Structures are given as C-alpha cells and as structure tokens.
Amino acid sequence: MVHETLAATNAVVTLDVAIPDIFWGWYVTMNMWAKSIGTGLVFMLFLLLRKNPDEMKGLRTSTLIVSFIFMNIFLLFTLADLHQPFRMWHIFFYPHWTSAITVGAWMASIFVALESLMIVIIFFKKDTATYDKLLFWITLLAIPVTLYTAGIMAEATARELWQMPTEAVQMILAATLSGSAAIILLGGSKLSDETKQFFGAILGLSALMAFIIYMSEYIFGAMKSEEVAAILHYVKGDGEYATMFWVGQWVAYILPMLLIALARVSKSSAILNLAAILAIAGLWVVKHIWLIIPQLLPLS
Amino acid sequence: MQLGFLVDLHLCMGCKGCEIACKVENEVPLSTWRLRVKYVDVGTYPETKRTFTPLRCNHCENAPCERICPVSALHYLENGIVNIDKERCIGCAGCVMACPYGAIYIDPETQTADKCTYCAHRIASSMMPACVVACPVEANIFGDLDDPTSNISRYIQDNRDVQVRKPEKGTNPHHYYVGASQVNLNPLASKREKGYSLFNNITKLPLGGHH
Amino acid sequence: MYLQSRRTFLKGAAFSVAGVAIAKGVFTTDAVAESVTDSKFTNTPKTISFYPEQKEWDSFKELDGTDWKRGGIERHGVRSAENPDGIQVNDYTIVPTVCSNCEAGCGLTAWVNKNDFEKGVLTVRKYMGNPLHTGSRGRNCAKGYAVTSQMYDPDRIPFPIKRAPGSKRGEGKWVRVTWDEAMAAIGKKMHDTLAKGDEVSKKQIMYHVGRPNENGFGPRVPQSLGIDGYNSHTNICSAGAREGTIQWANDDRNSPDWASADLIFLQSSHAADAGHYFQQSAAYIADARKRGAKMVVIDPRMSNSAGMADLWIPAWPGTEAALYLYLVNRIVHEKDKDGNDLVDHVYVKEWLNWDRLMANKDYLQKMVGYGYISKVPKDDSYESYIELMKELYAPYTKEFVVQECKLEGMEYKLDELWELFVPAGARITSYLWRAGAIGHRGGWMNTRAGFLPLALRGAMRGDIGGIGMHHWHEISVAGKGDKATVAGKHPVKTDAWNEIAWPPEYPISTYEMGFMMPQIMMDDDWHAKWTKKGLKIPKSMAVYVPRMHNPLWINPDGFRWMEALKREDKFELTFNLSPTWSETNWYCDYVLPVGLAGERNDQQSTPSKPEQRIEFRQAVLRVAAEKSGWKPKDPTRATLEAHMKFGLGEVWEESEFWPNLIVHHVDPDGSLGVRKYWASKKDPSRCVTVPEYFDAALSNIPRLNETARKMYKGEEYPVYAYIRDHGCWTEKTNVYKPQEEELKIEGDYVYAHGHKYHKDEVKKDSFGTLWVKDGMVEESIGIIKDNKALEGFHTLSKKLEFFSEWLTEWKWPEYAIPIYPRNKAENDKMVHLVTQVHHKHMKGDNEFALNTIYRLPYNIHTRSVNSKHLMEISQNHNPVWIYTKDAEKLGIKRGDAVKVQIQDTLTGIKSGYFIAMAVPTEATRPGVLACSHHAGRWKLKDSVNIPGFEHSLGIMSLGSPKVTMTNDGKVGTMTTTEGIHPHKAWQFKEYNRDLDDIWWNGLSGAWQNAVAPCHPDPIAGNHGWHQKVILSKAGADEKIGDIHVNYENNFKVYKAWRDDLTRPLATGDTWRRPYHIKRPVKPSQKAYRVEIKEI
Ligand SMILES: Nc1nc2c(c(=O)[nH]1)N[C@H]1C(S)=C(S)[C@@H](COP(=O)(O)OP(=O)(O)OC[C@H]3O[C@@H](n4cnc5c(=O)[nH]c(N)nc54)[C@H](O)[C@@H]3O)O[C@H]1N2
Ligand SMILES: Nc1nc2c(c(=O)[nH]1)N[C@H]1C(S)=C(S)[C@@H](COP(=O)(O)OP(=O)(O)OC[C@H]3O[C@@H](n4cnc5c(=O)[nH]c(N)nc54)[C@H](O)[C@@H]3O)O[C@H]1N2
Ligand code: SF4
Ligand code: SF4
Ligand code: SF4
Ligand code: SF4
Ligand code: SF4
Ligand SMILES: [Mo]
C-alpha cells in the first residue's frame, strides 16, 4: 500500500460507481458450516468404526441421517445461493471440469447419493456389513467433498486471503471440529466416556490447530501481501469485523479448548457437551468472517 | 486473432463518454457497469492532480472467471474475447469471486453474471467497441494483438510504460494501460472511503438480485 | 425472474429426460454454423471500423448487443428464417443529426431499428457520433450518448398540457389539450396584441431563449412579427467575456486553434470538463498535447482540466487581470534568450490600434490624470507607444500579483508559467469565456487584460496554433430560408426598442438583461421614472415564451422569478416550449412538448476549429420513416405526425410549430403583414415545410449548394437532401488570418461583407481605415495596408483595439484600455472593476468566496436531470467544496451539513442561506468554496394527474427530490421531504425496465441560485455569480437542501448595484447603444435613437 500519509501520495477516490457489496454471504457460510458437519460426522463414524465398532450400534443410522440432513442443508443453501437455482442442472449437462464448483457439485451429489444408499441399506436391510464397507468409501469421498470448497476459494483468484493449502487444512479441521462436536452431542449415552474423551481430544486438537493457523494468518499474513494486509485490517484494531472475529475465535476454538481440558480433568460430559455446542456455533462465525472480509476490499 | 485493448491514461480526461456509450450499447442496467471511469485525486494543495481510470474486463488469457465457471457460461471466443452466456449461467457468482479486477457483476434484470465482452457483437459485425468509438481523445485503442501492424500493437511497441493490472495474479490481461501510476492500477493505493465525496456517493450496493 | 427460470428449468428437465438436450446440441450445431457462414458476421473479422460507410446508412445490419448476451453467434448463430434462435440482427437506418446537449453541436447518428417497421414500430436503439462531422469526428462525450435516455425519458411530456381552468399558476393542475387548441389560443392572443400596432405592443411578446443550439431560426420568429421580442440568457452565461472581446475585436468571442498550439492557456475548463464546444475542444487539446503541447489552467478550483494540466494556478477568483498584466509587464520589459524583444512588433504595429491612442492627445492627457502614466508621450510613434506600455504596466510586478491573486508560496508557479509562456511564441491559444469573466463585477476586464499578453506575442493574429475570431469560423443561415416563403425576402427590422430586455442603465451590456426580467417587470418605480423620461415601456407581457430555457431555476433569485411568473397581470399568457419537466413549466400556462436533439430540425454551426462548417439537426424518426416509404398527411406537420405514429407521443418541434402557428393563427388573413414570411411560396395556402425552408436556407452556402445540386440531381430539394443524408457540411477548411485577406475590388466597386460599394462612397481616414455610410452612421469596411485594401478585424478601426475609443464616448473612459487597480486606493475607487468577492472583503475564518460556476462533464445545466444514465453518475449531488485546512479550522467534516449564508459586499445586505453538504478537499484553494449548479433540483409533486388520461405524468423522477416550499412575497423557504425512489415507468417501458434498480436518493443537492441576489455588472451586464458567504455548521433542525431567502433584501441589492454603479442613458444621449456592436436581433436605426427627457 502506498503510504497515504505522504503528502505527495495522498490519494482519495472522488468519483466512482457503486460497487457490489458482499457476494457470498451467509448462505455460503451455511453451506460450508453444514457441509463440515455433514462430512465431519462421516469421518467420526469411520473413526469410531476403527476404534470401537461396538459403540457404532445405534449410531450408524442416526449419525448418518444427521449427516444426510446437514448435507441437504448444505445443498439447499448452495442452490439457494444461486441466482438461477432452477438452472442447477446445467452443471450436469454442461459441466466445466476446470471448475472446483463443478467437481464439487458432482462429488457432493455422489456423496449424498451414497449416503442415501447407506441409509437404505441400514434402515431397511439392516445390512451392517455392507454399510461398514461403504463407510470406508464414503469417508474417502468425504475428504474431497469437504476440501472442494477450499478449491473454490483457491480458484477465487481475487481473494488473496484464501490460499489453497491453509484453506484445505482449515476445511478438514472444520470437519473434524464440527464432526467430533456433533458426534459428542449425538452420541450421548450411547458413547462411552472414553470414546467421548477421544472425540473431545479430536475437537480440542482441531480447535488448537485451526486457531494456530488463523493466528498465523492474523499475525504473519500481512507481512507477505499487501492485499492480505488490507483485508486483515477489517479484523484488526477497530476494524469493522474485529469484534466478531474474536467472538468467533473464542467461541469456536479458545473456549472449547479450555472446556475440553476442564472436562478431561473433571470428567464431565456436560462440559464436553458445552464445548461441542460452542464449537459448532463458533465455527459458523469463524467461517463467516473469513468468507466476508476479503469481499470487502475494492478490487479495482 | 487476439483482440486487445489499451488505454492511454495521459489522454483520458474522465468525460465518461465511454461509460455511457457502453451502457447504451449493451443495455447495462442501472446499478451495474461493464465499464467505469474512476477519479482519484492525488497530492496536497497546491500540488494536487486528478487521475482518471477507465476500468473494464481485461479479457485475460488465463482467465480465472472462465476457469471457475461450472457451466462454461464464460468461454473464450476464437478472437480471444472472454464471452458470456446468460442462458447458460446459473448465477453462482463464482466468477465474481474469481475475477481479480471486479469486472463481473450480476445483472439485476436477468439474475445472471455479465461483464464487458469487448462488444463482441460489434466485433462480429466488423465494428469497433462502442467505448472506443466514443472516446473524444482517442484514449481507447483497440485491435488485434497478433497483428504487429495493428494500431494497438504499434502503440505497445512505441511506449515503454505499458502496464497491466495486477500482473502478479498470472491472468495475462489483454488490456493494457499506458501512463499508469499505482493510483490507476492498484485499488489499494488510494482511499475509497464510503459516503458522499466531491462528485458522488461512494458506496457499495447489495448485489444484484438480493435487493 | 423466477417464472422465467422455472420455464427454463422445466424445459431443461424435459430435455434431459428424453436425452434431447444433447441430441439437440449435436443436431443444431450445423444449422448454427451455417447461419454464421451465410451471414456477414464473424468473430474474426478482417477489418474493424468505427462507422459504417455513409452509403450503407440506409440499411446497415448489426448484431444486437442485448441479444448477444445469450452467448453470441458461436452458440446460437445468426438469426434467420432457418435459425430463429440465432442472435438478433438489427436492420438500422442510420440518420445523422446533432447533439443538443451543449453548444458544441457534435454530430450524432441515430441508429433507428426498423426490424418492426411493418408493425408500425421504429426505435432509436442508440445514438453514436457522425464521422462525417469534421469538428466532432464521430466522437461524443457522455452527454451525447445519453441522448437515448433523454429521448426515452419515462417522464417525457407526452402531449401539450394547459393549466387547468380556474386554477392558479403553480397549483399544478393541468389538463390535456391538442396542439391545435393550444395554437388557436396562443395565436389569437398574439394576433390581438400585434393588431394594436402601437409601439408598446411591439414589446409585449417575448421569446426568451436559453442555449438555442441553432443559428438564426429563432431570431427570425420575433423579427418576422415586427416586434423587439428576442431575449436571451447570455448575461448569466458569458456576458463578461463577450464584452471584453467586443471591445478588442467587436466579435462575440474568440476562436482558438487548439490542435496546433504549443501552449494551451486556460482559465476555463475546455480540456476535460466543459467550455464551449466541449468534447471537440477537449479532443483538439488532446491532439495538441499528444504533440507535446503544454497546458496551464488558472482556476481557484481544481477542475478536471486543472487536475491534468502541466500547471495549475489557483489565483484568487476575479483577480486574474492582475496576473495577465504581470505577463504584459514582463513581455514589454524582457528579452528572449537570444536577446530579441518578446513583443511581436511586426504584428502589434500592424494590427493593434496603438496609432489611435497615440493620436488621441486628449485621452493621453486623461491617462496622466488617472495616474496611469506620468506624462503625455513625446510623439505618436510606435516606439513611444512601447515606452508608454512599459510605464503603464510596470506596476504589475511579481510581488504585486502574488499579493493580489493570493499566491503566497506559489511564486514558483509564476516562474513556471513564464517558462511555459515564452517558448510557445505565438502558438498560444485560449478561449476566454466564463470563469473570471462572468463571475465578477468587472469580469469583462479579465478578457481585456487576458488577450493583451497574447496579442503582444502575436498569438491574436488568427494564425496556426493561435487565436482567431468566432465569426470567422461560423456560418449562420438558419434564419435565411426566405426564398421558400411568399415574401421571398428577410423580414424587416422593427422600429421598437424593448426596454425590458435592454434597460437604459445597461446600454453596452452583452447582451439582453434577460436574467433580471422579473426585477425589471416588478419595479413600478423604475417604470414610472423612465416613463416620465419619455420611454414607452410595457407594464406587462402579453405573451411570454421561454424556449429551451429554465429561467426560474438557472438564474439568480429564483423566488423572484416564481413571484413574477405567477402574476397574471404581468405575464398574461405564458407557454414553455419544453420537452421535459422543469421548474419553469410549473408556473406556465401551457407546456408544449417540442423535440430534443434527434427530434428537431435546425441548422447549427460551431466554430470549434479554424474551419467553416454547419451541422443539421433533424427529426430522426421522421427521416427514417420517410426513407422507408412513410408519408405524412400534412407535410407541414410531418415531424409531429411521425412522432405520434412511431411512439414518441405528441412531440412537435419548432421549425414546424412556428410557421403553422403564424400562418394559421397569428395572421391567418395576412392583415398583420406577418403571414407572408412563413407562407410557402410553393403553396401559399399553407406554411413552409422543413425541406422547403432549409433547402432555401442552406442554398446560401455556396460550395454546399453546388455540391448538393450535382449529387442530388433531380431531387426537388437537393441541398436539403444532402444535409438529410450527411448531417453536416464543411464549407471551408484552414480559415486563418481572414483579416489579412484583400477586399474584392472589381472595376469601380469594392465588395465587403456581402455588400457592394462604389469607390466614391468609400472614404479613407488618416489611419487607413475605409468608411462608408450606413443610414445615420459611418461603417468601416476595410483597411489599407501597403497599398492593399484588407478585410481587417470587425472593429471600427479594423484593428484589434487596445484602446477602446467608443468606450470613452460611452461614459467609461477610465477603463478604455486594459487596466487593473494597482493599489488599495485604486482598488476602492475602481469599484466597477473589482470583484464583489475580492479577498479584502473576507474578514473572519468563516468568510469565503463561493465559486458557483463550474460544470460537470457529464451534466448539462438542467437538461440532464431525467437522463437515467447521467443522473446515476451525478445524483443531484452538489456539495460545497472546502479546502481541507479551512474545514479543519471550522471543525467541518465530510458529509456535514453546512449553512452557507450569502452577503452582498456592496451593501452589506444578507440574502439568506442554503444548507449544503460539505466535502473537504485538496482541490479548491484556501478561502474559496465551490458549489456546482447542476444539482439542487426540486419539484412540489411527484406527478400530475391529467383528467381523462390513465397514467399520471411523473415529474423528474430520476433526479429531483420532492420539496415543500413557502413564499410570501418577501421570504421564501424550501425543504426536501422525499428523495428519489426505484419505480416503474408507464412510458417507454422496454427502455426503462431498470428503473427499479435506482439506487440514489438525490438528497445531497441544494438550489443555491435561489438565494443569490441578482446583481448585474454595470458595464457588461453579466450577473456576478460569485458570492461572499459566511459559513457555519447547520443547526440541528436544518437539513441539506433547505433554503431560506429574503428576496426583498435581494431586491435592495439589485437596486443598489443598478443605481449606484451604472451610468445610464441621460438627457442629451441620442443612441440607445453603440450601433456597431452586436445585438442578437438588431432593430432599425430608428429604434436605436432615443431622447431622454429632463425631469
Ligand atoms: N459538461 C458541460 N459542458 C458544457 C456545459 C454544461 O452544462 N456541461 N455548458 C456549456 C455552456 S452553456 C457554457 S457557457 C460553457 C462554459 O464553460 P467554461 O467557460 O469552461 O465555464 P465554467 O464551466 O462555468 O467554468 C470554468 C472553470 O472556471 C472556474 N472558475 C470559476 N470562477 C472562476 C474565477 O473567478 N476565476 C477563474 N480563473 N476561474 C473560475 C470554475 O471552477 C471552472 O472550473 O460550457 C459549455 N459546455
Ligand atoms: N450557479 C450557476 N448557475 C448557472 C450557471 C453557472 O455556472 N452557475 N451557468 C449558466 C449558464 S452559462 C447557462 S448557459 C444557463 C443555462 O440555462 P438554461 O439554458 O435555462 O438551461 P438548460 O438546462 O440548458 O435548458 C433549460 C430547459 O430547456 C428545456 N430543454 C431541454 N432540451 C430542449 C430541447 O431540445 N428543446 C427545447 N425547446 N427545450 C429543451 C428543458 O426544459 C430544460 O429545463 O445556466 C446558467 N446558470
Ligand atoms: S478481467 Fe476478470 S472477468 Fe475479465 S477475463 Fe479477466 S478474470 Fe475474467
Ligand atoms: S455466475 Fe454464471 S458465469 Fe459466473 S461462474 Fe457462475 S455460472 Fe459461470
Ligand atoms: S468494449 Fe463494449 S462492453 Fe466492453 S466496456 Fe467497451 S463498450 Fe462496454
Ligand atoms: S471516453 Fe475517453 S476520455 Fe472519456 S472517460 Fe472514457 S477513456 Fe476517458
Ligand atoms: S460536447 Fe456537447 S454537443 Fe458534443 S456530445 Fe457532448 S454534449 Fe453533445
Ligand atoms: Mo452558457
């Protein structure tokens, strides 16, 4: 940024057209948030299957249904965010494969189809074996499904803040954070305390890592790029979104981490549940802020 | 054939003839622009200057908008133009997020993405883009970059300070500026404070469609 | 949107089910590709042109930009019978016409889409430039392209309307009338007035015109009626500049050769904002700058032009004369680097009237008396003149300028100016017009002083890259269609002199005092006084016609205008010829919707470069329809019929309206002797038609006449046909130095200005000037130089007049040479020359000069208000610009509402205030605020309902907020109540689909003109636009747009300026005005004669 306080470079826009405000708003936040939960739950199911198949009982159906619901929320908001929702079918008839949106839409559709299939299998056929086999494949698919939004963000060339490596990690972490939180809540008495603590640990670690990445961006991002610096302005000092940013960080990450530590010590599942609720709610805020701020910057 | 644009900022006087010509030619609805001319005042009294910058789609060779478009509503024409198809567009706004130059908007009337097409319909009719015809001072130079004898190619050869916006984005714009300073090319080099300014209301609008 | 999308969705779903979508894709590609190959359209054209060739204009096919949005021809092909889904091809008739948004008169072409002509639809899809127009070269500014949005303005007045019977003016009740009804009523009133036949009745019809954008048709109307009834707006526009130029050259204004200059020397904004012949000038300036020319701009505000100049000099407004005389001082005293004089002696000696000054011992003695020089020069040689100049201008030192123009700390800028000035030699050009010349008392001296350094350098020779004169580069023939009429000759001059337009206080004003008409009309004491002195002044106007004018809004003291126009005893019948709503409409009896740029028929000529050219504005729908075979029922009303038939509404235009009105209603039986001037020679039962009249008028242009007759052999109106198809004509290029051309002498006859004189009639005086007798006066026709009779300038002496001898006779001897007060004592004494906003009047930190004059490149006075595209940019926003540090001192921040109180510095009287938005900026000088006049529009109602008409007529719904107003004859107030909203249009719906996307509210403008008192310069008669203001933050209950005016006070200010400063006609004076200087419509010499009785 040219140093504006120098007299010679004092530069002020004195005539300009109105430029569009935020394009991807809370619909997209909902989309990412719901998808994190949806895919996250699948990850957790898979882990549970690996770690403690016994406890899968009773959770196979409910968890998948919840995941399915969230995946549909995700799809719904994806659709609703389109200005021409009725043309969604174009993605399937005129797919453009360089677009992460296309790839994502296809994968997400397959993912949801697979989920439906598994629900049918488990609900009507009660075929746990096939279910568990499919769980592997769907978990595999969940990875790109949860990642592809990072791909879109990467392809959003205009938004310097979003870089593929970090966003990819953040997407996965969002899934593990919200997935673990969701399964803690869903599991209730069906999960052993130990398993719960296991998921609590995942939650805590996800929160920690996500928090570290955000803080790294927050502190170091500005040093490498003029645009990132300008974007982070919105969440620093008395920036427009500074308060909301910190609310998000506290609610999504810092408080859950503290609570999980506390829950470990006090062995309280109530505290764990609280951590889970906070993480899920906070994630929305965090995602939203990160989505919004790069869109505030005039691009030209 | 690779069509390209060049604006000589030494000449542009900010009359906005191009802007209105574009609006009329392409029926660009109120609240949206394919082309805008921005004024930035630079310096302190009495050494103040006013700069004018026409901004439109760059028709990037490596266009992020085209890449992200899930349905190829955005597509290249054989003449190098990045064209757009409102019937194909699903209105995902991916392109809006991708274009590093803010060149795309959602048309509030059609609810689809739209942007400067270098007046592709005029080109196909063997006519210059409307904004090129308009410019009183011939600040807008247009033509075939593949043809070394074209006006634009010559202009590029004859001027040392030919620049593009945000070269670091790797988009390879086919839209050049001569005589540009930071303030012209880099939106971060000036303050764009919201509210009424000298000439009009500097503002942001709810995007086409959600208002 | 959703409905449409759903349809597509269903279609898509159906396709996909059947797998048709893909099949169709494969199947249709061939047809699509074929449709392209079969057409002339291709994405890889061999050439790309700016305009189609003229021969293709009757039918030119182009793809439609809106339909292209479906993906273009690659995806859909070109529309044809075989490929109905292809991209639409528009079949255009390209009809040339002329922009009318400013006086540049740039060529336009209307692209009339005739795809649906068979269905009775013709649409102007767009206006572009006219490449044949050698001034505008096919280019236009924003306002040119916006003509489309003006044409399809959703609030256009669709038919004539009349004040509802029983209602008062300003009540806003209207009924619909037909053109014939309106003409019958108006015609009768005019007939009855003229039938009286006395002197007063010849002053009771007033045609009051804004910027007419045509050359002579309008003036012919009052002249043909035998009245003195032409009034114009010039004195709020440019009187100061005209006065100064008249004194120099007896020409209306100068005419620069921008393109070839090396230094563009501006105190106007021609390079990027406005100025006469705006975009053409800007384009030629750009051409010069491409070649390396430099540009200087003198302006207290950083205009766009100043913002891109090589040098910006923010002199204190109204003090520029000091700066110019400083240049003179240096020019006469210094030498160039080779040791040569900077004065171009050859030129000065030849073409300045120094000889008359030096011969006038009496005046030289006076100069000694004024303290200008210390003694009368020893002889009358040129060398002594130069010595005189050295002494005269020595006081204008750098120190003096810095102090007078308040350029402290900017001495370096004066050095830079000099560095740019000298190397440019005689290739310096300028257009002295508004700015310092109009804004101030004594502004005319700005032009007097401004031309002097340029003259001394030889730049006023009218040569390449220098400065010529306006009338050299202009052709006016629109008033000369006489041969098409029964009379066959030009109407005679009237013997009446209209004191309402030309009061005896302002004998040398330039021109009519139109802007103070209400003050004059409502001043009974004034009326009584001059009546006693023997003048016959009407007490009322029988018929008042503003045309292309919005006097109520654009003039100072708007409430006085409102008050006056409401008085039915003062203005008996009023009708506004206006296509659109305006504040003035509201107070008129009739609003008659006439056409805009592409809907009128008139000839214009713009001297934007050293050539002679005309352009022809025409009603494009009529022309396009006629070219497609349509014929009007009544050829004298072809334009009206075409507009009604092709969807524009009952929109007429003046070159058909006036002839019809006069022939059928004003003088139906010819008894008034008026009819014959408008009845058609071809068929005397009707009036002239457009082709008849303009064919005759344009035949007066010799080369055009000849060319057209060759090209259009067999056509009944060949010259008209030429201009119809081309829209313009360049008669002569490279018009340089016509003053040095020899007069034609054949045998015993001398030819000058179209007249032929026998040698014996011509007398030569001791200065070589040639004189002939013209009625009661002597007229000069040329000058002898080196034994050759040359044209000379337009002045009496035939030279540029450094010394304005006639000004001494017209009571202002002390100002007959370029001069400017040199010290405090002179500054106080020469009150006529010193701006009312001189810095000596600014005492506190909160006292400022307010610059109320500047334009925005994308606005045109009050014409842009309902162009959606222009309004989207400008938004009725006219903030008060204030220098950042001044704002800081007063604690004013961006967006703050500020109270701007106007105070007159002659009387100390306060007018009232307006509340505006403040914007601190680095772009105006300390101590000087700026506020543009395009915004601050208002209306009292959103719309009016016309009984029997289903839609209500919207009023300026794109650019004007709604207000409430009070006015009691003394004090007027206004406050905004509602901003601009998104809405739907009933008229021109297709074009206005996007009005629901309006996003501005227009609430940041204020009508500043209403607060300003009317205060004319005592000599030039220009309204001094600048105001001294006292600035404060607005009170809690005051909001932007509020105004409060004590217009009774304003009346006192007006009287003080008139009575304390002018030198009116007095007993013993025998002429109303110097006969040799211009009057737009000259009455007879008899009318010029006057006798003022002693009382
Ligand atoms: N865009 C546009 N162009 C137009 C018009 C329009 O409405 N819009 N109108 C046309 C008409 S009718 C006219 S008369 C011309 C006028 O065009 P110009 O002659 O250029 O006059 P303005 O625009 O009134 O003022 C020119 C500059 O003078 C500056 N100025 C004001 N007061 C002073 C002063 O006291 N001293 C000095 N040195 N400068 C001063 C203003 O800040 C402004 O930048 O433009 C014509 N062209
Ligand atoms: N404060 C301030 N006031 C100013 C100025 C300034 O610099 N500062 N500038 C002054 C100057 S230089 C001028 S020239 C005047 C201009 O003042 P005007 O000549 O009165 O103003 P316009 O807005 O050009 O046109 C007036 C009206 O003409 C009608 N009209 C528009 N187009 C057409 C048409 O094609 N045909 C017909 N018949 N009518 C039409 C509309 O009703 C419009 O409102 O303003 C003056 N007022
Ligand atoms: S400028 Fe933006 S819209 Fe234009 S081609 Fe490049 S990325 Fe696409
Ligand atoms: S909004 Fe339309 S054009 Fe843009 S990426 Fe989405 S589908 Fe493509
Ligand atoms: S090339 Fe055409 S579409 Fe692009 S900015 Fe110019 S006029 Fe508008
Ligand atoms: S038309 Fe030309 S001069 Fe005017 S704003 Fe556009 S590029 Fe600049
Ligand atoms: S300069 Fe004047 S006449 Fe020319 S296009 Fe612009 S508004 Fe029209
Ligand atoms: Mo004017």
Side-chain angles (χ1 to χ4, degrees), chain B residues 1 3 10-17 19-21 23-34 39 41 43-50 52 72-73 75-79 83-88 107-109 111 114 120-128 130 132-138 142 193-201 203 205 211, chain C residues 1 41-45 47-52 60 62-66 68-71 73-76 111 125-126 128 138-142 145-146 148 271-272 279 282-283 286 290 302-304 307-309 312 314 410 412-413 856-858 868-869 872-873 875 877 879 881 883 894 917 919 921-923 925-926 993-994 996-999 1001 1004:
Chain B
M1 177 176 249
L3 295 170
H10 294 301
L11 299 173
C12 174
M13 54 155 170
C15 73
K16 292 194 168 243
E19 195 179 296
I20 305 294
K23 280 233 165 187
V24 175
E25 180 67 42
N26 298 294
E27 297 197 55
V28 180
L30 295 176
S31 78
T32 50
W33 291 265
R34 286 182 173 202
Y39 291 14
D41 285 11
T44 46
Y45 178 86
E47 293 305 323
T48 325
K49 292 264 171 206
R50 184 160 293 144
F52 312 105
S72 295
H75 57 283
Y76 295 106
L77 299 183
E78 54 187 314
N79 54 21
N83 197 36
I84 182 154
D85 177 346
K86 69 168 179 182
E87 287 188 341
R88 184 72 66 80
D107 180 318
E109 299 297 312
Q111 292 300 324
D114 200 14
H121 66 289
R122 294 258 303 164
I123 303 299
S125 313
S126 305
M127 290 284 126
M128 281 283 176
V132 176
V133 177
C135 184
V137 298
E138 292 181 306
F142 185 84
E193 282 179 278
K194 266 187 92 145
Y196 280 99
S197 186
L198 277 192
F199 297 101
N200 72 352
N201 191 4
T203 186
L205 290 177
H211 63 174
Chain C
M1 141 206 166
F41 304 106
T42 163
N43 279 338
T44 50
T47 56
I48 309 178
S49 317
F50 280 74
Y51 286 95
F60 180 73
E62 189 182 86
L63 293 162
D64 185 72
T66 309
W68 180 276
K69 294 177 187 170
R70 293 193 293 129
I73 54 174
E74 196 181 87
R75 292 202 169 159
H76 295 279
W111 294 53
R125 174 65 175 77
K126 59 185 167 183
M128 298 187 90
R139 314 174 199 168
N140 298 90
C141 76
Y145 294 97
T148 325
Q279 76 84 14
K290 280 179 217 170
M302 190 182 76
S303 60
N304 291 359
M308 60 189 281
W312 170 37
M410 282 180 262
Y412 70 96
K413 290 206 177 213
L856 304 169
Y858 40 80
K868 61 180 181 182
H869 292 140
E872 182 171 34
I873 304 173
Q875 309 163 1
H877 176 55
W881 299 28
Y883 174 50
R894 188 165 65 108
M917 179 185 285
V919 177
T921 171
E922 299 293 324
R925 62 154 297 143
R993 287 187 300 261
D994 57 350
D996 55 353
D997 297 316
I998 288 177
W999 53 276
N1001 67 17
S1004 61

Side-chain angles (χ1 to χ4, degrees), chain C residues 101-103 143 211 233 237-238 267-270 273-278 298-301 303 315-318 320 324 433-436 439-440 446 851 853-861 933-934 1026:
Chain C
N101 272 331
C102 82
E103 46 287 291
K143 308 181 297 294
R211 291 168 313 125
H233 72 294
C237 172
S238 37
Q267 69 158 26
S268 60
S269 61
H270 283 81
D273 311 66
H276 268 189
Y277 326 129
F278 165 50
I298 300 155
D299 194 323
R301 176 188 73 99
S303 60
W316 186 272
E320 299 80 3
Y324 301 143
W433 193 236
R434 297 196 80 228
H440 310 277
N446 171 304
N851 170 2
I853 51 178
Y854 66 88
R855 285 152 186 35
L856 304 169
Y858 40 80
N859 268 181
I860 328 101
H861 306 290
H933 77 296
H934 296 292
H1026 282 235

Side-chain angles (χ1 to χ4, degrees), chain B residues 5 18-19 21-23 25-26 28 34-36 55-57 59 115-122 128-132 140 142:
Chain B
F5 218 116
C18 50
E19 195 179 296
C22 175
K23 280 233 165 187
E25 180 67 42
N26 298 294
V28 180
R34 286 182 173 202
L35 160 62
R36 69 192 228 246
L55 300 161
R56 57 171 79 69
C57 166
H59 295 265
K115 68 168 192 69
C116 160
T117 59
Y118 278 175
C119 283
H121 66 289
R122 294 258 303 164
M128 281 283 176
C131 58
V132 176
N140 290 323
F142 185 84

